[in-house]
């Protein structure tokens, strides 16, 4: 279906993170990058990054440094 839409010239939304992107997202987050920085790198929202982290068992850091 996506192929047909592309061939017809339809503008497509980003389809989320690929498995390789997810691996890189987890690595970048563990290295201390913010959700927003990672999202910009992959052209997705910070919320998409947060959701991806949670799906892979990572609890996002508090952006204000508070204990959870």
């Amino acid at each position: 279906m996506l192929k047909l839409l592309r061939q017809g010239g339809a503008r497509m939304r980003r389809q989320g993170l690929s498995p390789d992107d997810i691996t890189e997202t987890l690595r970048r987050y563990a290295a201390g990058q913010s959700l927003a920085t990672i999202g910009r790198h992959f052209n997705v929202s910070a919320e998409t990054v947060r959701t991806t982290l949670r799906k892979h068992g990572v609890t996002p850091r508090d952006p204000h440094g508070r204990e959870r």
Side-chain angles (χ1 to χ4, degrees):
M1 180 58 99
L2 290 174
K3 183 178 178 181
L4 291 173
L5 289 169
R6 285 186 192 110
Q7 288 174 346
R11 186 171 177 171
M12 306 302 296
R13 291 186 315 188
R14 174 100 167 129
Q15 296 298 308
L17 296 170
S18 72
D20 288 340
D21 292 349
I22 292 170
T23 299
E24 182 66 10
T25 294
L26 295 170
R27 187 196 67 73
R28 286 172 177 264
Y29 192 74
Q33 288 188 7
S34 70
L35 301 175
T37 299
I38 297 167
R40 281 191 300 274
H41 177 80
F42 291 108
N43 195 32
V44 298
S45 70
E47 187 57 35
T48 296
V49 175
R50 178 181 288 111
T51 300
T52 299
L53 293 172
R54 287 187 176 144
K55 283 182 181 177
H56 289 84
V58 177
T59 302
R61 297 181 295 268
D62 184 289
H64 304 288
R66 297 179 294 235
E67 293 291 321
R68 290 190 174 215

